[in-house]
Amino acid sequence: LFAGTGCVGDYFKDKYKVISNDFLYYSYVFNKAKLSFSATPKFNKFREDLLERMTNPDEAKAYLLLSRPEIKSICEKYFKNIS
C-alpha cells in the first residue's frame, strides 16, 4: 500500500473518507498534514515573528544561527565572517 504525494487522497477527501497509508514515514507526515485540513493554514504567528525579526538584522542572524544548527553549518561553510 502506498500514499505517495497524496494527490488522489486530497482530490477525494471532500467526497469520501480517505484512509492513507505508506511504508515511508515522510509520506505519513506529509499526508497527515495535507489530508487533515481543508483550508491552507494562515501561519499568522509565524508571519508576525518573522516580520519582527526582519526589522532587526542582528536579531534575525542570531535567531537563525542559534536556533538551527544546520543553517549555521551551511553559513559557516559558504560565507565568511558569518558567526
Side-chain angles (χ1 to χ4, degrees), residues 9-48:
D10 190 42
Y11 178 79
F12 287 111
K13 74 180 179 186
D14 295 329
K15 301 171 184 79
Y16 302 97
K17 178 181 178 183
V18 174
I19 299 173
S20 177
N21 191 10
D22 200 297
F23 180 74
L24 298 174
Y25 185 69
Y26 89 90
S27 183
Y28 160 75
V29 172
F30 184 80
N31 283 293
K32 176 73 173 170
K34 187 172 187 177
L35 299 174
S36 295
F37 301 99
S38 58
T40 304
K42 302 276 190 248
F43 297 107
N44 291 332
K45 179 70 174 143
F46 174 76
R47 289 178 193 204
E48 290 170 13

